Amino acid sequence: MKAFMTIGTVDFLEKLEKKHPNIHLYFMTSNTGGLAYYEAEKNIFSAGREYEILIQKGNIQDEGYVVMNNIPVTEEGQPVFEDRFKQRQNEVEMMPGFQAFRLLKPKKGRTYVVFTQWRSEQDFENWKNSKEFKHTHQGQTKPPAYFADRPFLTNYHMIDKNDD
């Protein structure tokens, strides 16, 4: 399965839904603008990013809070990085408010996306401050050698289209 993302104004992105009524598009917004996301085999975006879904847990919801950890990984470090996630413990999935997890491998470039969706921003903060988070991230005092650059977070609130 693949995942696709594109950015733009919310008005522009919502027009995609009318053009592609058979595809379930998820709409999100942040302080930098809007994002449309969906999972399928075929790309409908003229511009955007394509990913292979390596790990998939839970179901993405139309409501919630999304955190994407964007992690640039060196080419030679990709197998180690992927294996680390495949071997990881699934503590995040047991946390209250957890909705979905995806490990996304880019078709172009080397920036992976660790996508998590939470019921609320507070649920994500509770995860970050939990003993489970500390256990999952133990021993990570410095970035692994396979990081090509510093990871960065992007945060989004799902757009509830019923609030119009």
Side-chain angles (χ1 to χ4, degrees):
M1 180 73 76
K2 296 177 185 171
F4 303 91
M5 290 185 231
T6 194
I7 58 174
T9 66
V10 173
D11 289 339
F12 169 77
L13 295 173
E14 287 181 336
K15 290 176 186 170
L16 293 170
E17 192 170 41
K18 291 177 181 59
K19 287 173 73 174
H20 304 281
N22 296 331
I23 294 180
H24 189 148
L25 292 163
Y26 297 95
F27 298 102
M28 306 170 209
T29 188
S30 73
N31 57 359
T32 60
L35 182 136
Y37 175 95
Y38 75 98
E39 300 174 347
E41 289 299 324
K42 185 178 178 226
N43 187 0
I44 62 166
F45 299 144
S46 59
R49 297 171 301 213
E50 180 178 335
Y51 299 88
E52 177 186 352
I53 301 173
L54 297 180
I55 301 173
Q56 177 174 338
K57 302 285 183 179
N59 297 311
I60 297 174
Q61 306 294 312
D62 289 319
E63 296 179 16
Y65 181 71
V66 172
V67 178
M68 294 188 204
N69 192 356
N70 302 271
I71 305 173
V73 178
T74 63
E75 189 172 341
E76 60 275 1
Q78 289 178 354
V80 174
F81 177 78
E82 291 174 17
D83 187 61
R84 180 178 160 257
F85 270 91
K86 290 175 183 169
Q87 301 302 322
R88 72 180 177 77
Q89 299 192 359
N90 301 324
E91 292 176 341
V92 67
E93 293 134 41
M94 307 310 285
M95 292 299 296
F98 171 84
Q99 293 176 317
F101 172 91
R102 303 289 187 272
L103 177 60
L104 306 175
K105 179 179 182 175
K107 182 174 179 185
K108 294 179 183 172
R110 293 190 308 238
T111 301
Y112 286 70
V113 175
V114 179
F115 176 115
T116 56
Q117 185 185 39
W118 301 88
R119 183 180 49 224
S120 70
E121 187 171 354
Q122 186 59 54
D123 288 320
F124 171 68
E125 292 298 324
N126 292 345
W127 157 245
K128 274 190 2 186
N129 296 314
S130 71
K131 67 182 185 313
E132 292 85 358
F133 180 89
K134 289 177 184 70
H135 180 258
T136 300
H137 296 87
Q138 70 187 6
Q140 293 181 5
T141 56
K142 64 178 188 170
Y146 52 74
F147 280 14
D149 204 350
R150 292 184 64 86
F152 62 94
L153 291 180
T154 50
N155 305 317
Y156 297 91
H157 290 276
M158 301 297 287
I159 298 172
D160 185 358
K161 293 175 287 198
N162 297 324
D163 284 349
D164 294 343

